[in-house]
Amino acid sequence: MMLDGFFNVTWKEPSNKRVKPLSRVTSLASLIPPVRATPLKRFSQTLQRSISFRSDSRPDLFSPRPWSRSMPPANTKRRDSKLWSETFDVCVNHMLTSKEIKRQEAIFELAQGEEDLIEDLKLAKKAYHDPMLKLSIMTEQELNQIFGTLDSLIPLHEDLLRRLQEVRKSDGSTEHVGHILVDWLPCLNSYDSYCSNQVAAKALLDHKKQDHRVQDFLQRCLESPFSRKLDLWHFLDIPRSRLVKYPLLLREILRHTPNDHPDQQHLEEAINIIQGIVADINIKTGESECQYYKERLIYLEEGQRDSLIDNSRVLCCHGELKNNKGVKLHVFLFQEVLVITRAITHNEQLCYQLYRQPIPIRDLLLEELQDGEVRLGGSIRGAFSNNERIRNFFRVSFKHGSQSQSHSLQANDSFNKQQWLNCIRQAKEKVMCAGKAGEMNSEAHFILSPNGSRVSQGETTLEQMDQSDSESDCSMDTSEISIDCDRMEQTNSCENEKQIETNV
């Protein structure tokens, strides 16, 4: 039997056999295995990943709207990769060694990446910024906040691409690139303002998606071929991802460059330059992220304000946790203070209202709780409750004089629980180690440097970023709360501070 010319249907007699009903499927997403949520967000001084604003406490902001179209398939269309040997139809013979071919491939990848980057940056302006401005979907001020200094990055990368193309020979090979990179890389300092703006830009973009006109426009773009099924934030985040890729690209070129090649020294110098630039931008971006959240803390009373928050320049991590009553809390771990808040909407912005007094890390007591050990709702013993509800708890408490607090906090899963524990322990260790150094300073006062100036004996510095972070969004970067105690090794004072967890 043919229906509407589309489907072949074979008629079958009705069956009296009872069939187990299928659970209702409300969306295509219900058919996809859930991805582990990441309630712990790290905003340390690293650009290894995209800045993420998963508003776990505000799922209503991103739920499907009546006017929203169904989402397209999740798989994105990526550009076809191009190889140097294929692009220039290179005939591999005795004149070209395997090492030289790999070197040319690496140089070509650098140039091709610049070309792709320029194309995407121009696309972001032409297909997103300009139409939204012309159609008054967003104001010029809002677009300037979201797109930042993206316009200024286009000519910068066009300059590098032009230089690389100029030194390319007719056969497609390139002899020297080191001197070009040494001369051009300092221009990347202009990324400072762009990367520092990304925190506020992402927050504003997510907020504007609540506007049905914005949501509809972005959805139409997502469904159009030009976007390759990539959303707007992907294009805005491309410069950051390109920035952190330069050290890898340069090392790859250097790895296949002979030791006696003139490029050897220049490439080593170029790698040092880009590492210094990335490290500097990391620090400024981290400070910008920390300041962003500090400005969105709402105090119910003046007594909740704490100088430890005001003086913080680093946000070690933050994310959503639940207490033993099931209340969703958003917890921030700054350098020297733990702040427990509730996410609220204030003046149409997502803000964080302090739930309790801030807890100084120095006086914080941390206890890892076994599954089933927590009382839920203050009365029901966890052992008689839903097994999932009593897992992944830890406790933070504080007692100072008449003031005391105790919070049993539940992480999303065992992995995130361990992240929180590690992060708090290392923050505690750093504070205690710094305090020990302060005690030494008060006793020994100052030592004289070779030039006669007075220098603090317990001076410490932040450890450099760990470049081997996992690609997982929920991996933990503890570089922010690591500490360089090399200058205090002679005292061995920090060795006695390794045990920093105190059981309640």
Side-chain angles (χ1 to χ4, degrees), residues 445-462:
H445 301 288
F446 294 89
I447 59 174
L448 288 177
S449 63
N451 60 9
S453 61
R454 296 199 304 173
V455 181
S456 172
Q457 189 175 4
E459 188 180 9
T460 60
T461 60
L462 286 175

Side-chain angles (χ1 to χ4, degrees), residues 118-390:
I118 294 166
E119 180 183 330
D120 285 339
L121 295 184
K122 288 182 176 179
L123 175 65
K125 177 173 172 54
K126 183 178 179 180
Y128 291 92
H129 178 280
D130 295 350
M132 284 194 286
L133 180 61
K134 185 175 182 180
L135 298 173
S136 299
I137 294 176
M138 288 194 204
T139 66
E140 184 174 4
Q141 182 179 2
E142 289 170 336
L143 289 171
N144 288 341
Q145 175 71 73
I146 292 173
F147 284 80
T149 58
L150 182 139
D151 268 357
S152 66
L153 304 180
I154 297 175
L156 187 153
H157 291 280
E158 286 178 331
D159 179 39
L160 176 59
L161 179 60
R162 177 185 56 79
R163 297 190 194 193
L164 293 174
Q165 290 174 340
E166 286 177 352
V167 296
R168 183 181 291 166
K169 298 179 181 179
S170 58
D171 63 357
S173 64
T174 302
E175 186 66 25
H176 305 288
V177 293
H179 65 289
I180 294 176
L181 295 168
V182 169
D183 184 53
W184 179 81
L185 283 172
C187 300
L188 292 178
N189 282 307
S190 60
Y191 265 69
D192 184 345
S193 57
Y194 185 82
C195 292
S196 296
N197 177 65
Q198 278 195 299
V199 180
K202 185 65 167 65
L204 179 58
L205 177 60
D206 286 345
H207 174 70
K208 293 301 296 182
K209 285 180 180 179
Q210 299 174 67
D211 185 334
H212 74 276
R213 293 188 67 205
V214 175
Q215 178 65 28
D216 184 65
F217 176 84
L218 295 178
Q219 186 63 37
R220 288 174 183 271
C221 291
L222 191 63
E223 295 171 0
S224 300
F226 71 81
S227 71
R228 309 193 305 278
K229 299 190 183 301
L230 301 171
D231 61 14
L232 172 57
W233 183 250
H234 172 90
F235 291 101
L236 296 178
D237 192 50
I238 284 177
R240 179 211 56 81
S241 59
R242 181 65 177 174
L243 180 64
V244 298
K245 194 174 182 180
Y246 282 120
L248 303 177
L249 291 169
L250 269 56
R251 287 194 191 99
E252 185 65 14
I253 298 175
L254 178 61
R255 191 161 69 94
H256 300 297
T257 299
N259 294 332
D260 58 348
H261 196 286
D263 253 5
Q264 179 82 16
Q265 185 175 350
H266 283 140
L267 287 172
E268 290 177 351
E269 183 180 353
I271 291 173
N272 289 333
I273 292 174
I274 186 60
Q275 286 178 334
I277 292 174
V278 171
D280 185 56
I281 294 178
N282 283 338
I283 294 174
K284 294 178 181 177
T285 302
E287 292 175 352
S288 174
E289 292 163 347
C290 181
Q291 185 62 31
Y292 174 86
Y293 282 105
K294 283 163 55 176
E295 292 173 354
R296 277 150 187 80
L297 294 178
I298 295 179
Y299 301 89
L300 293 175
E301 56 186 33
E302 284 300 313
Q304 290 180 326
R305 295 185 179 275
D306 195 314
S307 61
L308 292 177
I309 299 177
D310 297 335
N311 297 333
S312 292
R313 299 179 63 187
V314 175
L315 177 58
C316 303
C317 62
H318 75 101
E320 184 182 279
L321 296 169
K322 293 181 182 179
N323 64 12
N324 61 330
K325 295 182 180 180
V327 177
K328 292 182 179 180
L329 304 171
H330 202 98
V331 182
F332 295 89
L333 178 62
F334 293 95
Q335 286 168 285
E336 299 184 45
V337 61
L338 185 77
V339 183
I340 301 176
T341 71
R342 283 178 174 174
I344 64 169
T345 300
H346 180 68
N347 294 333
E348 297 186 352
Q349 285 189 338
L350 182 61
C351 296
Y352 305 91
Q353 185 181 80
L354 265 70
Y355 179 70
R356 291 290 187 269
Q357 291 293 119
I359 301 178
I361 297 299
R362 173 181 291 277
D363 302 318
L364 181 146
L365 303 177
L366 175 65
E367 182 182 7
E368 181 175 1
L369 301 176
Q370 299 300 318
D371 292 344
E373 190 175 344
V374 176
R375 291 177 180 271
L376 297 180
S379 60
I380 304 175
R381 188 66 180 174
F384 300 97
S385 305
N386 185 315
N387 196 37
E388 290 297 325
R389 295 179 59 198
I390 57 175

Side-chain angles (χ1 to χ4, degrees), residues 97-107 252 256:
T97 65
S98 174
K99 188 178 183 72
E100 180 58 29
I101 292 177
K102 291 179 180 179
R103 182 173 185 273
Q104 293 300 324
E105 293 287 5
I107 295 174
E252 185 65 14
H256 300 297

